[in-house]
Amino acid sequence: MPPPGPTRDPLDERLQARDPSVRYAALDDLREKASPRVMARAAAPLLADPDPGLRERAARLLATLSAPERAAQEVAPYITHSDITARNLAGEVLVDLGPPAIDALAPFLRHDDPDVRKFAIDLLAQLPANALADDIAAALDDADANVRLAAVDALGALQATAYADALRDLYDREPLARPDIIQAMGAFGEDADLDVLERGLKDNHPVVQLASAEALASHDAPEVIDLLLDQLDRVNPMARPIVLHSIIELCTHYPQYRDALPDTLKGYLLDMLADDDCAFRCAAARGLRWFPDDGLYEAMLGHAGRDEELDMELFTTLLSHPTPFRPLHRAATSGPMPPSMAATFTVGLMARGALSDHDYDRAGTLLEHHFDALSVDDKITTVGLCIQRDRPELHGVMAAARRDPAPQVQALAADAHFSSSAPASSYDERTL
């Protein structure tokens, strides 16, 4: 079937030869000899050539032609081609051509075929086509639902905020378009209609709620905090992590709102520590810093060891506690936190001077009993810290280091000298 668009001129009979190698050679010859105008007219039909390699070569040539306006005019008719491969390749070339493709695509907004109208809008959404925003907005009333949805998405991509009212009206009359409308509103940033986003968050459909939560997540305004908190208990569980993440991010930027956060947030944050998404897990750990409760921190530390990024956030949150070793030790002895991770965290607390004088007895016993669980680097760090602190409660740790199978750990511990003498431990080691 011949492609749509301009009839192929006999610029070079070899471009129509049966042998693909002849067509390749003809295209290369034209690239070297023909003018950009002639080259565009010759290469555009090759977007529908049966040979994939030749199609790709013609596409690259057209996308880099020194006459992009002419290339766009020659390529644009191929977005109506019956072969989806040719149609999509033409679309890629037009997007690569950039602004010169905008005028070439404009007539196809009024094409008889709704698939062509939709495709033209999809392509314009990837270009700086704000000059055609009026024509795209007119498609909000198109007879075809897919064209209407494409127009919504394009207005969002173009950040065409002048059409916020039109999107609001469509939200009321076309429920199936609501997720797209919410996403478009979210793309408007600070110019988004918060009323529409709030309505989306209250919508009964989880997909609409999810889209609203994602849109509000990018809205950097303190008034959003109350809106999100008000809906936290009502939103679908699928959308709740996004709502929580937004609350944490906003309260990070606006710390004056942290004191008003409800206690119900704590349970949600603990649950989010088990989320599959690392970004949500880490956000939950950050949010828990605003609730320095021993029991909460003990439960939080049960998630240590899942991944390094979360461990760093958990440790930073632990440091925010007035007496961080207390919940750490209880988490290790009561079960939620693996003792090996507790030993690693204890080394970190000691390195940051976060252990009180009363902590060293239990910290030393914990490290002695779980010294083997530390990495070699952490063992070396621990020995160095024990030498610096020079406390009798740490003698047992040094004894464990001298028995360690790693020669460098043994050697460092063997060369250490303590000025203090070891007292009798008052700590019941059976608790570990």
Side-chain angles (χ1 to χ4, degrees):
M1 167 180 259
T7 302
R8 181 182 294 184
D9 293 333
L11 298 168
D12 190 325
E13 292 296 330
R14 293 179 299 161
L15 287 174
Q16 303 179 50
R18 285 179 172 271
D19 186 346
S21 64
V22 175
R23 300 199 299 276
Y24 273 96
L27 182 62
D28 289 340
D29 286 347
L30 281 171
R31 182 174 54 187
E32 294 176 4
K33 301 174 183 177
S35 69
R37 179 183 294 270
V38 171
M39 191 69 254
R41 194 167 72 248
L46 296 178
L47 295 175
D49 192 274
D51 185 276
L54 188 56
R55 291 199 300 265
E56 290 294 335
R57 184 175 295 190
R60 288 195 300 272
L61 189 153
L62 288 161
T64 57
L65 208 59
S66 60
E69 291 83 2
R70 171 55 60 179
Q73 291 295 332
E74 295 289 346
V75 170
Y78 286 86
I79 71 168
T80 70
H81 202 282
S82 59
D83 182 345
I84 189 171
T85 301
R87 186 163 69 245
N88 289 340
L89 191 57
E92 291 174 15
V93 172
L94 291 165
V95 171
D96 288 342
L97 286 169
I102 296 170
D103 288 341
L105 283 167
F108 296 94
L109 293 174
R110 297 175 293 279
H111 198 275
D112 291 340
D113 187 338
D115 288 340
V116 173
R117 297 198 299 274
K118 178 188 180 304
F119 192 32
I121 293 173
D122 289 340
L123 295 174
L124 288 168
Q126 301 174 62
L127 297 166
N130 295 79
L132 295 180
D134 285 345
D135 298 292
I136 294 171
L140 294 175
D141 296 316
D142 195 277
D144 186 88
N146 289 328
V147 177
R148 295 195 297 272
L149 290 178
V152 171
D153 294 339
L155 292 173
L158 297 174
Q159 297 186 337
T161 58
Y163 302 95
D165 288 344
L167 292 176
R168 178 202 285 267
D169 293 342
L170 189 62
Y171 184 96
D172 290 326
R173 69 176 188 264
E174 189 153 0
L176 290 178
R178 286 176 182 174
D180 297 82
I181 292 168
I182 293 294
Q183 289 174 359
M185 281 288 186
F188 291 170
E190 298 307 307
D191 293 322
D193 188 326
L194 280 181
D195 289 339
V196 173
L197 298 184
E198 182 177 4
R199 289 174 62 189
L201 202 60
K202 295 177 180 178
D203 196 284
N204 292 327
H205 200 292
V207 175
V208 180
Q209 287 187 9
L210 186 62
S212 299
E214 291 174 339
L216 287 165
S218 60
H219 202 88
D220 186 15
E223 60 267 25
V224 174
I225 298 174
D226 289 336
L227 188 159
L228 294 171
L229 287 172
D230 182 59
Q231 296 301 316
L232 186 58
D233 295 330
R234 302 182 179 93
V235 295
N236 187 279
M238 182 173 63
R240 187 169 290 127
I242 300 173
V243 173
L244 287 167
H245 187 276
S246 301
I247 291 170
I248 294 162
E249 291 298 309
L250 287 166
C251 286
T252 300
H253 297 155
Y254 303 99
Q256 66 271 28
Y257 289 86
R258 296 175 191 169
D259 292 340
L261 292 175
D263 284 344
T264 53
L265 204 64
K266 296 188 291 188
Y268 288 133
L269 293 176
L270 280 178
D271 289 343
M272 198 162 75
L273 286 173
D275 197 275
D276 291 336
D277 191 315
C278 183
F280 290 153
R281 296 196 298 269
C282 291
R286 290 195 299 274
L288 288 169
R289 291 170 201 167
W290 307 326
F291 302 95
D293 172 85
D294 280 14
L296 189 67
Y297 275 37
E298 291 167 31
M300 171 193 79
L301 292 170
H303 294 270
R306 180 167 182 175
D307 60 69
E308 291 185 6
E309 190 174 355
L310 177 59
D311 286 344
M312 287 297 298
E313 293 291 355
L314 292 174
F315 182 75
T316 304
T317 297
L318 180 64
L319 280 175
S320 68
H321 193 282
T323 55
F325 185 72
R326 187 173 68 192
L328 170 64
H329 183 262
R330 290 181 61 179
T333 56
S334 64
M337 187 180 196
S340 57
M341 287 304 304
T344 301
F345 276 41
T346 299
V347 174
L349 292 177
M350 187 160 58
R352 286 159 179 77
L355 295 180
S356 70
D357 288 340
H358 299 294
D359 293 332
Y360 274 95
D361 190 9
R362 292 184 173 185
T365 304
L366 190 151
L367 288 173
E368 178 185 355
H369 287 187
H370 301 286
F371 192 79
D372 290 345
L374 297 172
S375 68
V376 172
D377 287 343
D378 283 344
K379 289 174 180 177
I380 292 172
T381 298
T382 301
V383 172
L385 290 169
C386 289
I387 295 170
Q388 290 176 12
R389 300 298 185 267
D390 193 11
R391 297 184 66 100
E393 299 96 328
L394 301 176
H395 287 185
V397 184
M398 295 299 290
R402 295 187 192 99
R403 299 189 298 268
D404 195 80
Q408 59 268 51
V409 177
Q410 282 187 28
L412 182 60
D415 292 340
H417 298 284
F418 277 77
S419 60
S420 56
S421 58
S425 175
S426 60
Y427 182 59
D428 184 356
E429 296 182 357
R430 289 175 298 175
T431 59
L432 287 175

